[in-house]
Amino acid sequence: MSFSIYFTGLMMGLSLIVAIGAQNAFILRQGLRNEHVFAVCLACALSDAVLIVLGVTSLRQIAAFLPWLDPVMRYGGTAFLVWYGARSLYSAFQSSGALAVGEGRSPGFKQTLATCLALTWLNPHVYLDTVVLLGTISTRFAGQQVSFAAGAITGSFLFFFSLGYGARWLRPIFTRPAAWRILETIIALTMWLIAYKLLRGM
């Protein structure tokens, strides 16, 4: 395995997922509430790993055989992001007790995991970043795609688990209901902005 190519994949993987998005906002919220953090981080990291491997090994075949996939994912992803943003905004205007860390009724494990997977697999940007972009970049390293993919996958695991478990350091700030209101509002606006960009890309 080439360490330099592995490191390139690591840096590329990190650079593509550091920006705040649907996945990251959800993981941050789960980390702050200390709810199903490991499962959420693992689900996101494994999903990225599958998509990265898919992009590195099968990008050209996917584009040729599934030309309809892009518009379907855009519309489905847009609808889900609009709904999730509305739910976050509603949460921002709920009573202060429901917004405090550890208080209020929390979604169960299955619902949380389902939401996490939906935010991952129904977001076309995830496919653009992992399958298309990383898959395209990997073609520059003929014979060393495994090293590149391993680095990108490592970057995903490092980032998601750092975000999920690092959120606890921000928890004192979010004991104040106003901070939760602001976070939920930012999440809602982020979801809607992503949805708008998806529609504009049609």
Side-chain angles (χ1 to χ4, degrees):
M1 177 179 290
S2 171
F3 180 76
S4 62
I5 296 177
Y6 172 87
F7 186 75
T8 300
L10 174 65
M11 291 297 99
M12 285 301 305
L14 286 173
S15 66
L16 290 175
I17 60 177
V18 164
I20 187 169
Q23 257 187 340
N24 298 348
F26 182 75
I27 293 174
L28 177 62
R29 187 178 187 278
Q30 293 303 118
L32 287 168
R33 296 181 67 92
N34 195 29
E35 293 173 356
H36 315 299
V37 180
F38 180 82
V40 167
C41 293
L42 184 63
C44 289
L46 288 177
S47 295
D48 261 19
V50 170
L51 291 171
I52 290 169
V53 170
L54 192 63
V56 170
T57 60
S58 309
L59 176 61
R60 293 178 181 176
Q61 293 89 331
I62 294 172
F65 286 101
L66 301 176
W68 49 265
L69 185 61
D70 180 67
V72 168
M73 292 304 302
R74 285 182 185 273
Y75 281 124
T78 296
F80 180 79
L81 290 170
V82 169
W83 170 81
Y84 191 85
R87 193 183 74 167
S88 294
L89 192 63
Y90 173 76
S91 179
F93 288 98
Q94 281 183 334
S95 63
S96 59
L99 294 172
V101 176
E103 296 183 8
R105 190 179 68 175
S106 302
F109 174 77
K110 290 183 179 179
Q111 182 180 347
T112 298
L113 189 60
T115 300
C116 174
L117 293 175
L119 286 171
T120 300
W121 292 89
L122 292 180
N123 183 0
H125 283 175
V126 173
Y127 296 89
L128 177 63
D129 290 344
T130 55
V131 178
V132 178
L133 189 53
L134 290 178
T136 300
I137 295 173
S138 72
T139 61
R140 296 168 48 196
F141 308 108
Q144 295 290 341
Q145 285 96 335
V146 172
S147 297
F148 181 84
I153 291 170
T154 301
S156 291
F157 273 84
L158 285 175
F159 177 78
F160 288 131
F161 279 92
S162 296
L163 179 63
Y165 285 99
R168 67 182 61 186
W169 298 103
L170 299 175
R171 204 170 294 158
I173 298 175
F174 286 91
T175 56
R176 294 177 293 178
W180 272 107
R181 294 181 188 277
I182 293 172
L183 176 64
E184 295 285 11
T185 301
I186 291 174
I187 290 175
L189 294 177
T190 299
M191 301 300 172
W192 289 342
L193 179 61
I194 296 172
Y196 173 70
K197 290 181 177 179
L198 290 180
L199 285 180
R200 285 195 62 185
M202 291 302 293

